Amino acid sequence: EAYLVEHDYDHPNSKNDERYHLVLLVKNHIGYKNLMKLSSYSYTQGFYYKPRVSKKLLAQYSEGLICLSACIHGEIPYLLLKNREQEAYSALNYYKELFRDDFYIEIQDHDIEDEKIVLPKLISLAERTDTPLVATNDCHYLMKEHSKAHDVLLCIQMNKTLADPNRMKYSPQLYFKTEEEMRKLFPDHQQAIENTLEINDKIDF
């Protein structure tokens, strides 16, 4: 998962850019080399609070990679959430031109309000632009019952107590879900489940 920014690192607006999430998967040996380039440059040239990949750099090293639009912090879902549909459409075209058949719109459901708002918009955009969907789930721990331990870990990290109402809290749905659980989450979009296997079959590395 990369942090993507609009402008190149030497641009005066670069440090003010929104940092969007973007998922990149290695397809083959060329993709692996390109991912290493992107990762290295994000730390050595693009680091500003976080390692950042510019769109210019992504375009230079996109070969051999599969790209997913990421969670609600990805560019397309974020813009849709803000009702900036035309900008989301433009962003989609950018990724599709770059990755062609290796670009997928992610759909997720962790019982988070913003996801519920953006989900139908993502599905509609995918249908209108003939872009494949892929159903994914953020994984912060392996099993559902690990949610409490993860919550405690966050409290330790933030120097907070469990009783603090203002502390950071995560959804309890961030565990490694089974195929059956994922199919139940998206009963009307079974192809989005099947596309996880399509992506897997594309990977030869």
Side-chain angles (χ1 to χ4, degrees):
E1 187 172 49
Y3 290 105
L4 190 77
V5 290
E6 183 73 32
H7 297 99
D8 208 25
Y9 307 132
D10 56 0
H11 193 281
N13 291 336
S14 168
K15 291 181 177 178
N16 298 319
D17 277 352
E18 187 77 40
R19 288 195 305 262
Y20 297 116
H21 293 201
L22 192 70
V23 175
L24 300 171
L25 304 174
V26 168
K27 190 175 175 181
N28 49 38
H29 187 70
I30 293 171
Y32 175 72
K33 290 170 72 174
N34 280 335
L35 189 66
M36 293 302 98
K37 288 279 190 184
L38 290 170
S39 180
S40 295
Y41 284 132
S42 73
Y43 277 95
T44 58
Q45 295 181 18
F47 197 93
Y48 182 68
Y49 290 97
K50 300 278 187 181
R52 303 171 309 148
V53 171
S54 70
K55 283 193 171 180
K56 179 180 177 182
L57 195 68
L58 183 66
Q60 192 174 345
Y61 296 106
S62 61
E63 186 182 353
L65 295 174
I66 296 167
C67 180
L68 315 183
S69 64
C71 59
I72 50 173
H73 298 292
E75 182 175 14
I76 294 168
Y78 177 86
L79 291 171
L80 289 174
L81 194 60
K82 300 296 181 183
N83 295 315
R84 293 157 62 182
E85 279 83 5
Q86 190 55 48
E87 290 173 75
Y89 180 76
S90 298
L92 175 76
N93 283 333
Y94 165 81
Y95 293 116
K96 287 190 75 168
E97 284 178 18
L98 205 54
F99 294 98
R100 298 174 296 280
D101 294 338
D102 291 327
F103 176 71
Y104 295 79
I105 290 181
E106 281 190 64
I107 53 174
Q108 299 185 336
D109 185 355
H110 304 102
D111 200 26
I112 297 170
E113 194 57 39
D114 282 351
E115 283 181 346
K116 293 182 185 301
I117 293 168
V118 84
L119 182 61
K121 295 182 178 185
L122 285 169
I123 292 167
S124 174
L125 183 62
E127 289 173 349
R128 285 188 285 115
T129 58
D130 197 27
T131 306
L133 293 169
V134 62
T136 66
N137 198 83
D138 275 352
C139 295
H140 288 236
Y141 37 87
L142 187 58
M143 301 172 74
K144 190 173 186 177
E145 55 266 31
H146 293 166
S147 174
K148 288 183 180 178
H150 183 258
D151 206 26
V152 171
L153 188 66
L154 280 175
C155 285
I156 294 169
Q157 181 184 344
M158 302 292 174
N159 197 24
K160 301 281 187 181
T161 66
L162 287 167
D164 189 336
N166 299 316
R167 66 183 176 85
M168 181 188 291
K169 292 192 80 171
Y170 278 63
S171 163
Q173 301 296 319
L174 306 180
Y175 63 95
F176 191 83
K177 292 182 177 171
T178 64
E179 178 184 346
E180 184 182 6
E181 286 176 302
M182 292 301 292
R183 287 193 183 278
K184 282 182 179 177
L185 270 181
F186 301 104
D188 299 325
H189 299 284
Q190 294 298 296
Q191 187 58 48
I193 310 291
E194 303 298 336
N195 283 344
T196 64
L197 301 176
E198 178 182 286
I199 291 169
N200 181 70
D201 290 341
K202 287 182 176 184
I203 294 170
D204 182 26
F205 185 75

PDB file of all heavy atoms in Angstrom, residues 114-149:
ATOM      1  N   ASP A 114     -18.863   5.927   6.429  1.00  0.00           N
ATOM      2  CA  ASP A 114     -18.352   6.497   5.178  1.00  0.00           C
ATOM      3  C   ASP A 114     -18.299   5.451   4.061  1.00  0.00           C
ATOM      4  O   ASP A 114     -18.538   5.766   2.887  1.00  0.00           O
ATOM      5  CB  ASP A 114     -16.953   7.093   5.395  1.00  0.00           C
ATOM      6  CG  ASP A 114     -17.003   8.453   6.074  1.00  0.00           C
ATOM      7  OD1 ASP A 114     -18.112   9.006   6.222  1.00  0.00           O
ATOM      8  OD2 ASP A 114     -15.931   8.963   6.468  1.00  0.00           O
ATOM      9  N   GLU A 115     -17.985   4.211   4.413  1.00  0.00           N
ATOM     10  CA  GLU A 115     -17.963   3.141   3.412  1.00  0.00           C
ATOM     11  C   GLU A 115     -19.361   2.898   2.856  1.00  0.00           C
ATOM     12  O   GLU A 115     -19.525   2.670   1.654  1.00  0.00           O
ATOM     13  CB  GLU A 115     -17.430   1.848   4.020  1.00  0.00           C
ATOM     14  CG  GLU A 115     -15.938   1.814   4.194  1.00  0.00           C
ATOM     15  CD  GLU A 115     -15.447   0.505   4.787  1.00  0.00           C
ATOM     16  OE1 GLU A 115     -16.272  -0.273   5.309  1.00  0.00           O
ATOM     17  OE2 GLU A 115     -14.238   0.261   4.724  1.00  0.00           O
ATOM     18  N   LYS A 116     -20.360   2.941   3.724  1.00  0.00           N
ATOM     19  CA  LYS A 116     -21.742   2.717   3.279  1.00  0.00           C
ATOM     20  C   LYS A 116     -22.191   3.815   2.324  1.00  0.00           C
ATOM     21  O   LYS A 116     -22.979   3.574   1.405  1.00  0.00           O
ATOM     22  CB  LYS A 116     -22.680   2.650   4.492  1.00  0.00           C
ATOM     23  CG  LYS A 116     -22.428   1.424   5.385  1.00  0.00           C
ATOM     24  CD  LYS A 116     -23.415   1.383   6.533  1.00  0.00           C
ATOM     25  CE  LYS A 116     -23.102   0.245   7.488  1.00  0.00           C
ATOM     26  NZ  LYS A 116     -23.123  -1.071   6.847  1.00  0.00           N
ATOM     27  N   ILE A 117     -21.693   5.032   2.531  1.00  0.00           N
ATOM     28  CA  ILE A 117     -22.036   6.158   1.651  1.00  0.00           C
ATOM     29  C   ILE A 117     -21.380   5.992   0.283  1.00  0.00           C
ATOM     30  O   ILE A 117     -22.003   6.195  -0.755  1.00  0.00           O
ATOM     31  CB  ILE A 117     -21.595   7.499   2.284  1.00  0.00           C
ATOM     32  CG1 ILE A 117     -22.421   7.782   3.552  1.00  0.00           C
ATOM     33  CG2 ILE A 117     -21.731   8.650   1.289  1.00  0.00           C
ATOM     34  CD1 ILE A 117     -21.885   8.915   4.396  1.00  0.00           C
ATOM     35  N   VAL A 118     -20.112   5.589   0.292  1.00  0.00           N
ATOM     36  CA  VAL A 118     -19.338   5.572  -0.955  1.00  0.00           C
ATOM     37  C   VAL A 118     -19.525   4.286  -1.758  1.00  0.00           C
ATOM     38  O   VAL A 118     -19.319   4.282  -2.984  1.00  0.00           O
ATOM     39  CB  VAL A 118     -17.840   5.835  -0.650  1.00  0.00           C
ATOM     40  CG1 VAL A 118     -17.100   4.561  -0.244  1.00  0.00           C
ATOM     41  CG2 VAL A 118     -17.147   6.488  -1.834  1.00  0.00           C
ATOM     42  N   LEU A 119     -19.932   3.191  -1.116  1.00  0.00           N
ATOM     43  CA  LEU A 119     -20.040   1.900  -1.793  1.00  0.00           C
ATOM     44  C   LEU A 119     -20.927   1.943  -3.039  1.00  0.00           C
ATOM     45  O   LEU A 119     -20.477   1.528  -4.128  1.00  0.00           O
ATOM     46  CB  LEU A 119     -20.518   0.829  -0.807  1.00  0.00           C
ATOM     47  CG  LEU A 119     -20.641  -0.590  -1.350  1.00  0.00           C
ATOM     48  CD1 LEU A 119     -19.301  -1.108  -1.849  1.00  0.00           C
ATOM     49  CD2 LEU A 119     -21.195  -1.527  -0.274  1.00  0.00           C
ATOM     50  N   PRO A 120     -22.174   2.434  -2.960  1.00  0.00           N
ATOM     51  CA  PRO A 120     -22.994   2.475  -4.184  1.00  0.00           C
ATOM     52  C   PRO A 120     -22.416   3.389  -5.261  1.00  0.00           C
ATOM     53  O   PRO A 120     -22.602   3.142  -6.460  1.00  0.00           O
ATOM     54  CB  PRO A 120     -24.354   2.978  -3.688  1.00  0.00           C
ATOM     55  CG  PRO A 120     -24.107   3.598  -2.358  1.00  0.00           C
ATOM     56  CD  PRO A 120     -22.921   2.907  -1.778  1.00  0.00           C
ATOM     57  N   LYS A 121     -21.710   4.425  -4.842  1.00  0.00           N
ATOM     58  CA  LYS A 121     -21.089   5.325  -5.821  1.00  0.00           C
ATOM     59  C   LYS A 121     -19.943   4.621  -6.564  1.00  0.00           C
ATOM     60  O   LYS A 121     -19.764   4.805  -7.767  1.00  0.00           O
ATOM     61  CB  LYS A 121     -20.568   6.580  -5.123  1.00  0.00           C
ATOM     62  CG  LYS A 121     -21.654   7.452  -4.508  1.00  0.00           C
ATOM     63  CD  LYS A 121     -21.074   8.707  -3.882  1.00  0.00           C
ATOM     64  CE  LYS A 121     -22.151   9.598  -3.305  1.00  0.00           C
ATOM     65  NZ  LYS A 121     -21.621  10.881  -2.806  1.00  0.00           N
ATOM     66  N   LEU A 122     -19.174   3.821  -5.836  1.00  0.00           N
ATOM     67  CA  LEU A 122     -18.084   3.059  -6.460  1.00  0.00           C
ATOM     68  C   LEU A 122     -18.633   2.035  -7.445  1.00  0.00           C
ATOM     69  O   LEU A 122     -18.108   1.876  -8.558  1.00  0.00           O
ATOM     70  CB  LEU A 122     -17.258   2.351  -5.383  1.00  0.00           C
ATOM     71  CG  LEU A 122     -16.304   3.209  -4.566  1.00  0.00           C
ATOM     72  CD1 LEU A 122     -15.772   2.412  -3.371  1.00  0.00           C
ATOM     73  CD2 LEU A 122     -15.139   3.709  -5.417  1.00  0.00           C
ATOM     74  N   ILE A 123     -19.691   1.356  -7.035  1.00  0.00           N
ATOM     75  CA  ILE A 123     -20.301   0.339  -7.895  1.00  0.00           C
ATOM     76  C   ILE A 123     -20.858   0.982  -9.162  1.00  0.00           C
ATOM     77  O   ILE A 123     -20.663   0.473 -10.272  1.00  0.00           O
ATOM     78  CB  ILE A 123     -21.388  -0.430  -7.119  1.00  0.00           C
ATOM     79  CG1 ILE A 123     -20.743  -1.280  -6.020  1.00  0.00           C
ATOM     80  CG2 ILE A 123     -22.220  -1.301  -8.059  1.00  0.00           C
ATOM     81  CD1 ILE A 123     -21.711  -1.832  -4.997  1.00  0.00           C
ATOM     82  N   SER A 124     -21.527   2.114  -9.006  1.00  0.00           N
ATOM     83  CA  SER A 124     -22.084   2.829 -10.150  1.00  0.00           C
ATOM     84  C   SER A 124     -20.980   3.291 -11.108  1.00  0.00           C
ATOM     85  O   SER A 124     -21.100   3.136 -12.329  1.00  0.00           O
ATOM     86  CB  SER A 124     -22.885   4.035  -9.663  1.00  0.00           C
ATOM     87  OG  SER A 124     -23.316   4.824 -10.744  1.00  0.00           O
ATOM     88  N   LEU A 125     -19.911   3.832 -10.549  1.00  0.00           N
ATOM     89  CA  LEU A 125     -18.794   4.294 -11.385  1.00  0.00           C
ATOM     90  C   LEU A 125     -18.162   3.128 -12.133  1.00  0.00           C
ATOM     91  O   LEU A 125     -17.832   3.246 -13.322  1.00  0.00           O
ATOM     92  CB  LEU A 125     -17.749   4.995 -10.504  1.00  0.00           C
ATOM     93  CG  LEU A 125     -16.541   5.594 -11.227  1.00  0.00           C
ATOM     94  CD1 LEU A 125     -16.973   6.685 -12.203  1.00  0.00           C
ATOM     95  CD2 LEU A 125     -15.526   6.157 -10.222  1.00  0.00           C
ATOM     96  N   ALA A 126     -17.998   2.004 -11.459  1.00  0.00           N
ATOM     97  CA  ALA A 126     -17.415   0.819 -12.097  1.00  0.00           C
ATOM     98  C   ALA A 126     -18.296   0.344 -13.255  1.00  0.00           C
ATOM     99  O   ALA A 126     -17.784   0.006 -14.340  1.00  0.00           O
ATOM    100  CB  ALA A 126     -17.238  -0.286 -11.069  1.00  0.00           C
ATOM    101  N   GLU A 127     -19.595   0.338 -13.052  1.00  0.00           N
ATOM    102  CA  GLU A 127     -20.524  -0.110 -14.099  1.00  0.00           C
ATOM    103  C   GLU A 127     -20.512   0.830 -15.288  1.00  0.00           C
ATOM    104  O   GLU A 127     -20.523   0.401 -16.443  1.00  0.00           O
ATOM    105  CB  GLU A 127     -21.936  -0.233 -13.515  1.00  0.00           C
ATOM    106  CG  GLU A 127     -22.084  -1.411 -12.557  1.00  0.00           C
ATOM    107  CD  GLU A 127     -23.428  -1.431 -11.843  1.00  0.00           C
ATOM    108  OE1 GLU A 127     -24.170  -0.420 -11.934  1.00  0.00           O
ATOM    109  OE2 GLU A 127     -23.731  -2.448 -11.176  1.00  0.00           O
ATOM    110  N   ARG A 128     -20.496   2.135 -15.014  1.00  0.00           N
ATOM    111  CA  ARG A 128     -20.534   3.133 -16.099  1.00  0.00           C
ATOM    112  C   ARG A 128     -19.258   3.138 -16.928  1.00  0.00           C
ATOM    113  O   ARG A 128     -19.283   3.501 -18.102  1.00  0.00           O
ATOM    114  CB  ARG A 128     -20.781   4.532 -15.524  1.00  0.00           C
ATOM    115  CG  ARG A 128     -22.222   4.771 -15.093  1.00  0.00           C
ATOM    116  CD  ARG A 128     -22.481   6.210 -14.718  1.00  0.00           C
ATOM    117  NE  ARG A 128     -21.920   6.557 -13.418  1.00  0.00           N
ATOM    118  CZ  ARG A 128     -20.946   7.439 -13.233  1.00  0.00           C
ATOM    119  NH1 ARG A 128     -20.413   8.073 -14.269  1.00  0.00           N
ATOM    120  NH2 ARG A 128     -20.497   7.703 -12.022  1.00  0.00           N
ATOM    121  N   THR A 129     -18.149   2.741 -16.323  1.00  0.00           N
ATOM    122  CA  THR A 129     -16.855   2.818 -17.017  1.00  0.00           C
ATOM    123  C   THR A 129     -16.311   1.447 -17.379  1.00  0.00           C
ATOM    124  O   THR A 129     -15.184   1.333 -17.858  1.00  0.00           O
ATOM    125  CB  THR A 129     -15.823   3.550 -16.136  1.00  0.00           C
ATOM    126  OG1 THR A 129     -15.698   2.856 -14.880  1.00  0.00           O
ATOM    127  CG2 THR A 129     -16.234   4.993 -15.889  1.00  0.00           C
ATOM    128  N   ASP A 130     -17.118   0.404 -17.137  1.00  0.00           N
ATOM    129  CA  ASP A 130     -16.706  -0.970 -17.439  1.00  0.00           C
ATOM    130  C   ASP A 130     -15.373  -1.311 -16.765  1.00  0.00           C
ATOM    131  O   ASP A 130     -14.450  -1.844 -17.383  1.00  0.00           O
ATOM    132  CB  ASP A 130     -16.596  -1.165 -18.960  1.00  0.00           C
ATOM    133  CG  ASP A 130     -16.581  -2.635 -19.341  1.00  0.00           C
ATOM    134  OD1 ASP A 130     -17.135  -3.463 -18.581  1.00  0.00           O
ATOM    135  OD2 ASP A 130     -15.986  -2.968 -20.384  1.00  0.00           O
ATOM    136  N   THR A 131     -15.285  -0.980 -15.483  1.00  0.00           N
ATOM    137  CA  THR A 131     -14.095  -1.253 -14.680  1.00  0.00           C
ATOM    138  C   THR A 131     -14.414  -2.396 -13.717  1.00  0.00           C
ATOM    139  O   THR A 131     -15.434  -2.360 -13.038  1.00  0.00           O
ATOM    140  CB  THR A 131     -13.678  -0.010 -13.868  1.00  0.00           C
ATOM    141  OG1 THR A 131     -13.536   1.102 -14.763  1.00  0.00           O
ATOM    142  CG2 THR A 131     -12.362  -0.244 -13.140  1.00  0.00           C
ATOM    143  N   PRO A 132     -13.565  -3.421 -13.641  1.00  0.00           N
ATOM    144  CA  PRO A 132     -13.872  -4.548 -12.748  1.00  0.00           C
ATOM    145  C   PRO A 132     -13.792  -4.163 -11.274  1.00  0.00           C
ATOM    146  O   PRO A 132     -12.948  -3.364 -10.868  1.00  0.00           O
ATOM    147  CB  PRO A 132     -12.800  -5.591 -13.111  1.00  0.00           C
ATOM    148  CG  PRO A 132     -11.685  -4.805 -13.716  1.00  0.00           C
ATOM    149  CD  PRO A 132     -12.321  -3.630 -14.398  1.00  0.00           C
ATOM    150  N   LEU A 133     -14.697  -4.746 -10.499  1.00  0.00           N
ATOM    151  CA  LEU A 133     -14.696  -4.583  -9.042  1.00  0.00           C
ATOM    152  C   LEU A 133     -13.912  -5.723  -8.403  1.00  0.00           C
ATOM    153  O   LEU A 133     -13.854  -6.824  -8.948  1.00  0.00           O
ATOM    154  CB  LEU A 133     -16.118  -4.616  -8.496  1.00  0.00           C
ATOM    155  CG  LEU A 133     -17.073  -3.479  -8.849  1.00  0.00           C
ATOM    156  CD1 LEU A 133     -18.495  -3.850  -8.431  1.00  0.00           C
ATOM    157  CD2 LEU A 133     -16.649  -2.182  -8.173  1.00  0.00           C
ATOM    158  N   VAL A 134     -13.356  -5.455  -7.234  1.00  0.00           N
ATOM    159  CA  VAL A 134     -12.782  -6.536  -6.431  1.00  0.00           C
ATOM    160  C   VAL A 134     -13.140  -6.285  -4.971  1.00  0.00           C
ATOM    161  O   VAL A 134     -13.001  -5.181  -4.463  1.00  0.00           O
ATOM    162  CB  VAL A 134     -11.251  -6.679  -6.627  1.00  0.00           C
ATOM    163  CG1 VAL A 134     -10.492  -5.424  -6.193  1.00  0.00           C
ATOM    164  CG2 VAL A 134     -10.732  -7.902  -5.892  1.00  0.00           C
ATOM    165  N   ALA A 135     -13.668  -7.325  -4.331  1.00  0.00           N
ATOM    166  CA  ALA A 135     -14.061  -7.224  -2.926  1.00  0.00           C
ATOM    167  C   ALA A 135     -12.865  -7.531  -2.038  1.00  0.00           C
ATOM    168  O   ALA A 135     -12.195  -8.551  -2.211  1.00  0.00           O
ATOM    169  CB  ALA A 135     -15.190  -8.207  -2.629  1.00  0.00           C
ATOM    170  N   THR A 136     -12.580  -6.623  -1.103  1.00  0.00           N
ATOM    171  CA  THR A 136     -11.424  -6.795  -0.213  1.00  0.00           C
ATOM    172  C   THR A 136     -11.829  -6.475   1.218  1.00  0.00           C
ATOM    173  O   THR A 136     -12.906  -5.927   1.465  1.00  0.00           O
ATOM    174  CB  THR A 136     -10.249  -5.877  -0.617  1.00  0.00           C
ATOM    175  OG1 THR A 136     -10.644  -4.512  -0.421  1.00  0.00           O
ATOM    176  CG2 THR A 136      -9.835  -6.091  -2.059  1.00  0.00           C
ATOM    177  N   ASN A 137     -10.951  -6.820   2.148  1.00  0.00           N
ATOM    178  CA  ASN A 137     -11.197  -6.531   3.563  1.00  0.00           C
ATOM    179  C   ASN A 137      -9.864  -6.170   4.211  1.00  0.00           C
ATOM    180  O   ASN A 137      -8.895  -6.931   4.100  1.00  0.00           O
ATOM    181  CB  ASN A 137     -11.792  -7.762   4.257  1.00  0.00           C
ATOM    182  CG  ASN A 137     -12.454  -7.414   5.573  1.00  0.00           C
ATOM    183  OD1 ASN A 137     -13.608  -6.992   5.593  1.00  0.00           O
ATOM    184  ND2 ASN A 137     -11.748  -7.583   6.679  1.00  0.00           N
ATOM    185  N   ASP A 138      -9.813  -5.016   4.860  1.00  0.00           N
ATOM    186  CA  ASP A 138      -8.587  -4.650   5.576  1.00  0.00           C
ATOM    187  C   ASP A 138      -8.308  -5.679   6.673  1.00  0.00           C
ATOM    188  O   ASP A 138      -9.226  -6.103   7.370  1.00  0.00           O
ATOM    189  CB  ASP A 138      -8.740  -3.260   6.211  1.00  0.00           C
ATOM    190  CG  ASP A 138      -8.418  -2.148   5.240  1.00  0.00           C
ATOM    191  OD1 ASP A 138      -7.937  -2.444   4.136  1.00  0.00           O
ATOM    192  OD2 ASP A 138      -8.652  -0.970   5.580  1.00  0.00           O
ATOM    193  N   CYS A 139      -7.058  -6.069   6.796  1.00  0.00           N
ATOM    194  CA  CYS A 139      -6.674  -7.050   7.821  1.00  0.00           C
ATOM    195  C   CYS A 139      -5.622  -6.444   8.743  1.00  0.00           C
ATOM    196  O   CYS A 139      -4.497  -6.205   8.325  1.00  0.00           O
ATOM    197  CB  CYS A 139      -6.115  -8.314   7.173  1.00  0.00           C
ATOM    198  SG  CYS A 139      -7.329  -9.202   6.204  1.00  0.00           S
ATOM    199  N   HIS A 140      -6.027  -6.182   9.986  1.00  0.00           N
ATOM    200  CA  HIS A 140      -5.094  -5.683  10.999  1.00  0.00           C
ATOM    201  C   HIS A 140      -4.723  -6.779  11.984  1.00  0.00           C
ATOM    202  O   HIS A 140      -3.810  -6.619  12.776  1.00  0.00           O
ATOM    203  CB  HIS A 140      -5.709  -4.498  11.747  1.00  0.00           C
ATOM    204  CG  HIS A 140      -5.774  -3.251  10.928  1.00  0.00           C
ATOM    205  ND1 HIS A 140      -5.202  -2.061  11.322  1.00  0.00           N
ATOM    206  CD2 HIS A 140      -6.332  -2.992   9.715  1.00  0.00           C
ATOM    207  CE1 HIS A 140      -5.413  -1.132  10.400  1.00  0.00           C
ATOM    208  NE2 HIS A 140      -6.106  -1.684   9.420  1.00  0.00           N
ATOM    209  N   TYR A 141      -5.486  -7.886  11.956  1.00  0.00           N
ATOM    210  CA  TYR A 141      -5.216  -9.040  12.822  1.00  0.00           C
ATOM    211  C   TYR A 141      -5.885 -10.241  12.159  1.00  0.00           C
ATOM    212  O   TYR A 141      -6.695 -10.095  11.237  1.00  0.00           O
ATOM    213  CB  TYR A 141      -5.746  -8.818  14.240  1.00  0.00           C
ATOM    214  CG  TYR A 141      -7.056  -8.071  14.299  1.00  0.00           C
ATOM    215  CD1 TYR A 141      -8.272  -8.743  14.209  1.00  0.00           C
ATOM    216  CD2 TYR A 141      -7.082  -6.684  14.416  1.00  0.00           C
ATOM    217  CE1 TYR A 141      -9.468  -8.064  14.237  1.00  0.00           C
ATOM    218  CE2 TYR A 141      -8.283  -5.991  14.444  1.00  0.00           C
ATOM    219  CZ  TYR A 141      -9.480  -6.694  14.356  1.00  0.00           C
ATOM    220  OH  TYR A 141     -10.670  -6.021  14.374  1.00  0.00           O
ATOM    221  N   LEU A 142      -5.526 -11.442  12.622  1.00  0.00           N
ATOM    222  CA  LEU A 142      -5.934 -12.648  11.910  1.00  0.00           C
ATOM    223  C   LEU A 142      -7.371 -13.080  12.200  1.00  0.00           C
ATOM    224  O   LEU A 142      -8.134 -13.383  11.287  1.00  0.00           O
ATOM    225  CB  LEU A 142      -4.971 -13.794  12.251  1.00  0.00           C
ATOM    226  CG  LEU A 142      -5.154 -15.081  11.451  1.00  0.00           C
ATOM    227  CD1 LEU A 142      -5.009 -14.839   9.953  1.00  0.00           C
ATOM    228  CD2 LEU A 142      -4.165 -16.143  11.920  1.00  0.00           C
ATOM    229  N   MET A 143      -7.755 -13.124  13.490  1.00  0.00           N
ATOM    230  CA  MET A 143      -9.041 -13.680  13.867  1.00  0.00           C
ATOM    231  C   MET A 143      -9.953 -12.616  14.494  1.00  0.00           C
ATOM    232  O   MET A 143      -9.463 -11.646  15.074  1.00  0.00           O
ATOM    233  CB  MET A 143      -8.847 -14.850  14.834  1.00  0.00           C
ATOM    234  CG  MET A 143      -8.001 -15.969  14.240  1.00  0.00           C
ATOM    235  SD  MET A 143      -7.568 -17.254  15.440  1.00  0.00           S
ATOM    236  CE  MET A 143      -9.153 -18.085  15.571  1.00  0.00           C
ATOM    237  N   LYS A 144     -11.262 -12.843  14.393  1.00  0.00           N
ATOM    238  CA  LYS A 144     -12.236 -11.871  14.881  1.00  0.00           C
ATOM    239  C   LYS A 144     -12.032 -11.553  16.364  1.00  0.00           C
ATOM    240  O   LYS A 144     -12.126 -10.402  16.789  1.00  0.00           O
ATOM    241  CB  LYS A 144     -13.647 -12.421  14.653  1.00  0.00           C
ATOM    242  CG  LYS A 144     -14.750 -11.404  14.890  1.00  0.00           C
ATOM    243  CD  LYS A 144     -16.106 -11.966  14.492  1.00  0.00           C
ATOM    244  CE  LYS A 144     -17.180 -10.887  14.588  1.00  0.00           C
ATOM    245  NZ  LYS A 144     -18.497 -11.407  14.131  1.00  0.00           N
ATOM    246  N   GLU A 145     -11.707 -12.576  17.150  1.00  0.00           N
ATOM    247  CA  GLU A 145     -11.549 -12.384  18.599  1.00  0.00           C
ATOM    248  C   GLU A 145     -10.283 -11.609  18.960  1.00  0.00           C
ATOM    249  O   GLU A 145     -10.091 -11.256  20.130  1.00  0.00           O
ATOM    250  CB  GLU A 145     -11.581 -13.731  19.335  1.00  0.00           C
ATOM    251  CG  GLU A 145     -10.579 -14.751  18.851  1.00  0.00           C
ATOM    252  CD  GLU A 145     -11.169 -15.694  17.796  1.00  0.00           C
ATOM    253  OE1 GLU A 145     -12.055 -15.255  17.030  1.00  0.00           O
ATOM    254  OE2 GLU A 145     -10.731 -16.848  17.747  1.00  0.00           O
ATOM    255  N   HIS A 146      -9.414 -11.341  17.989  1.00  0.00           N
ATOM    256  CA  HIS A 146      -8.208 -10.553  18.247  1.00  0.00           C
ATOM    257  C   HIS A 146      -8.499  -9.050  18.324  1.00  0.00           C
ATOM    258  O   HIS A 146      -7.609  -8.263  18.637  1.00  0.00           O
ATOM    259  CB  HIS A 146      -7.155 -10.800  17.159  1.00  0.00           C
ATOM    260  CG  HIS A 146      -6.607 -12.189  17.165  1.00  0.00           C
ATOM    261  ND1 HIS A 146      -5.878 -12.711  16.110  1.00  0.00           N
ATOM    262  CD2 HIS A 146      -6.665 -13.167  18.090  1.00  0.00           C
ATOM    263  CE1 HIS A 146      -5.526 -13.946  16.386  1.00  0.00           C
ATOM    264  NE2 HIS A 146      -5.993 -14.249  17.579  1.00  0.00           N
ATOM    265  N   SER A 147      -9.742  -8.668  18.034  1.00  0.00           N
ATOM    266  CA  SER A 147     -10.112  -7.252  18.001  1.00  0.00           C
ATOM    267  C   SER A 147      -9.832  -6.560  19.340  1.00  0.00           C
ATOM    268  O   SER A 147      -9.341  -5.427  19.370  1.00  0.00           O
ATOM    269  CB  SER A 147     -11.593  -7.115  17.646  1.00  0.00           C
ATOM    270  OG  SER A 147     -12.014  -5.781  17.741  1.00  0.00           O
ATOM    271  N   LYS A 148     -10.125  -7.235  20.453  1.00  0.00           N
ATOM    272  CA  LYS A 148      -9.924  -6.630  21.773  1.00  0.00           C
ATOM    273  C   LYS A 148      -8.445  -6.395  22.058  1.00  0.00           C
ATOM    274  O   LYS A 148      -8.057  -5.350  22.589  1.00  0.00           O
ATOM    275  CB  LYS A 148     -10.555  -7.508  22.851  1.00  0.00           C
ATOM    276  CG  LYS A 148     -12.075  -7.482  22.849  1.00  0.00           C
ATOM    277  CD  LYS A 148     -12.665  -8.311  23.983  1.00  0.00           C
ATOM    278  CE  LYS A 148     -14.187  -8.252  23.950  1.00  0.00           C
ATOM    279  NZ  LYS A 148     -14.788  -9.098  25.026  1.00  0.00           N
ATOM    280  N   ALA A 149      -7.620  -7.374  21.706  1.00  0.00           N
ATOM    281  CA  ALA A 149      -6.176  -7.225  21.901  1.00  0.00           C
ATOM    282  C   ALA A 149      -5.633  -6.079  21.042  1.00  0.00           C
ATOM    283  O   ALA A 149      -4.774  -5.300  21.477  1.00  0.00           O
ATOM    284  CB  ALA A 149      -5.458  -8.524  21.563  1.00  0.00           C
TER     285      ALA A 149
END
